Amino acid sequence: MTELRFVQVDAFADAPFTGNPAAVMPLDEWLPDATLQAIAMENNLSETAFTVPAGEGEYELRWFTPTTEVALCGHATLASGHVLIEGGEVRFRTRKAGMLKVRREGEALTLDLPVTLVKPTEDAALLRALGTPDAQLFLSWRGAEATAIILLDDAGAVRACAPDMRALRGIELMAIVTAPGDGGYDVVSRVFVPAWGVDEDPVTGSAHAALAPFWAERLGRDSFTAFQASSRGGRVECRLAGDRAILGGRCVTVIEGRYRL
């Protein structure tokens, strides 16, 4: 019998049961892909992050939803940093997103991600599936994974958005609905990824890697506060630094245990 460490972390969270939960499982070496996927399915969280040591303060990192491996996950990277950081910084080697860094800044952590740039486009089927037929649509491709930003008029429209999840399961992308914020936040958003096994993601770091340049241009400044208005909700401090998005937030450990395989 093999025992593996398991830590469940609420990322971009100021208190337990807010933000986005992620499982973090530090490994000594890689397990077969089928085993990693089975563990992620068993966890049934939006993401399970697996790490393997790759040098002092450095790890290889992979992310799995309950149904598939993904190219980039922000909140599970922040959660991994929360679990593994010992000094001021921890670095993660990834297969498709390059080197990612998590740094300690006071009581919070910052996550350094490559930005995602979107361009105006048209996709009537996507907008119908989201229930936003008259919205402005912007799209970007990162390898085989697409990111869509859907710009709505106000925060109320974002909160009221009621997508057809069955229709969205047939559209391979991450859909981000967003608008100017309310309640003291500059920006509000929600994120839907049914095609990747998660109907609505609670708080999405990779989505804010697209929202950072998108809203920096519209707000006329490089820093702003964002709120992802899922049922759990989460605050993300966003800063654009060249071709990187610096995302700040806190993490809370809620479960620690052992997997037995």
Side-chain angles (χ1 to χ4, degrees):
M1 180 180 294
T2 300
E3 290 196 354
L4 304 174
R5 183 185 179 199
F6 168 91
V7 185
Q8 186 168 317
V9 176
D10 289 342
F12 296 111
D14 293 327
F17 318 127
T18 63
N20 199 351
V24 179
M25 298 192 66
L27 306 173
D28 293 327
E29 59 184 10
W30 289 115
L31 301 172
D33 287 4
T35 302
L36 299 179
Q37 187 63 73
I39 291 172
M41 186 184 302
E42 183 77 9
N43 290 337
N44 200 32
L45 298 170
S46 59
E47 301 287 349
T48 296
F50 299 95
T51 67
V52 169
E56 185 175 353
E58 193 165 299
Y59 298 83
E60 295 180 13
L61 172 63
R62 297 170 69 184
W63 314 271
F64 288 76
T65 76
T67 61
T68 190
E69 184 174 6
V70 298
L72 175 64
C73 176
H75 86 276
T77 304
L78 194 75
S80 298
H82 170 74
V83 171
L84 296 170
I85 196 167
E86 293 182 351
E89 176 183 283
V90 61
R91 300 176 302 280
F92 295 105
R93 298 181 189 176
T94 71
R95 298 191 173 191
K96 296 182 179 180
M99 182 73 78
L100 307 180
K101 299 177 182 178
V102 174
R103 296 184 177 93
R104 194 187 307 278
E105 292 194 6
E107 296 182 359
L109 297 170
T110 61
L111 169 62
D112 178 336
L113 295 180
V115 299
T116 298
L117 301 176
V118 297
K119 296 181 179 180
T121 190
E122 296 182 4
D123 188 331
L126 173 59
L127 293 180
R128 283 197 304 270
L130 287 165
T132 59
D134 300 321
Q136 298 179 61
L137 175 61
F138 304 81
L139 188 67
S140 173
W141 286 92
R142 185 192 298 275
E145 295 185 359
T147 298
I149 291 181
I150 299 89
L151 180 60
L152 304 183
D153 291 335
D154 54 47
V158 171
R159 297 176 192 279
C161 188
D164 179 344
M165 297 299 182
R166 183 175 180 180
L168 280 182
R169 286 188 187 100
I171 304 175
E172 288 277 346
L173 52 68
M174 174 170 61
I176 309 163
V177 294
T178 188
D182 59 4
Y185 295 98
D186 297 311
V187 171
V188 66
S189 68
R190 291 171 66 194
V191 176
F192 307 101
V193 281
W196 303 343
V198 182
D199 283 355
E200 180 169 3
D201 198 38
V203 189
T204 315
S206 57
H208 287 82
L211 291 172
F214 183 85
W215 279 109
E217 178 181 358
R218 285 157 179 78
L219 294 170
R221 49 193 166 89
D222 290 339
S223 299
F224 59 89
T225 58
F227 183 74
Q228 192 159 324
S230 64
S231 59
R232 293 173 64 97
R235 175 190 180 101
V236 183
E237 299 286 343
C238 299
R239 178 166 57 88
L240 184 64
D243 63 353
R244 310 294 291 185
I246 312 302
L247 310 178
R250 298 186 180 188
C251 291
V252 181
T253 298
V254 291
I255 302 173
E256 293 191 65
R258 311 291 292 183
Y259 249 79
R260 295 180 178 178
L261 303 182

